[in-house]
Amino acid sequence: MLNIIRVLLFIIVNIAGWYTIPVIASIAAKLDVFPKLPPGIHTEAFKLWFLGGGMWVWIICAVISIGYFFTRNELKNWLLLAPMYVTAIYGTAVLLYFNFIYTLS
């Protein structure tokens, strides 16, 4: 029974990690901190970094979080939650980068 709960927790956390980038985008739009980019290559680069890169970061973290089943102590929690917090850090960093670069120019 305990193994079923662990697997369900793993699946729920990975699903939450998948939705981290859209949640960050929604929060950024609500707070009006979404980067105002000129049309063209800048917008495409932002989409590629934010959405495409976010997906790859989540995939890598989902694979790394499998280590949750094989570790103990505090590392177990860090590995389990990695798809959520690493993806959130990446998405926030991309937003901050594009905001900083395009407010200077």
Side-chain angles (χ1 to χ4, degrees), residues 17-72:
W18 173 255
Y19 287 108
T20 302
I21 293 292
V23 167
I24 289 174
S26 298
I27 291 171
K30 294 274 186 201
L31 296 176
D32 198 31
V33 294
F34 212 75
K36 294 156 183 68
L37 304 170
I41 192 72
H42 308 292
T43 307
E44 295 302 317
F46 174 72
K47 283 192 251 181
L48 179 66
W49 284 30
F50 190 64
L51 300 174
M55 179 193 64
W56 283 107
V57 168
W58 174 78
I59 289 171
I60 291 168
C61 288
V63 170
I64 290 172
S65 71
I66 294 173
Y68 159 74
F69 295 107
F70 306 107
T71 58
R72 295 180 192 262

Side-chain angles (χ1 to χ4, degrees), residues 1-104:
M1 183 66 174
L2 187 59
N3 288 334
I4 294 172
I5 293 172
R6 287 182 181 164
V7 170
L8 287 175
L9 183 62
F10 174 78
I11 291 170
I12 290 169
V13 167
N14 277 292
I15 290 171
W18 173 255
Y19 287 108
T20 302
I21 293 292
V23 167
I24 289 174
S26 298
I27 291 171
K30 294 274 186 201
L31 296 176
D32 198 31
V33 294
F34 212 75
K36 294 156 183 68
L37 304 170
I41 192 72
H42 308 292
T43 307
E44 295 302 317
F46 174 72
K47 283 192 251 181
L48 179 66
W49 284 30
F50 190 64
L51 300 174
M55 179 193 64
W56 283 107
V57 168
W58 174 78
I59 289 171
I60 291 168
C61 288
V63 170
I64 290 172
S65 71
I66 294 173
Y68 159 74
F69 295 107
F70 306 107
T71 58
R72 295 180 192 262
N73 302 331
E74 187 178 351
L75 179 61
K76 184 176 192 170
N77 297 328
W78 284 104
L79 289 176
L80 175 66
L81 297 173
M84 288 174 39
Y85 72 82
V86 174
T87 308
I89 291 170
Y90 174 80
T92 305
V94 169
L95 279 175
L96 290 173
Y97 173 77
F98 276 90
N99 269 328
F100 180 72
I101 293 297
Y102 289 105
T103 54
L104 291 179

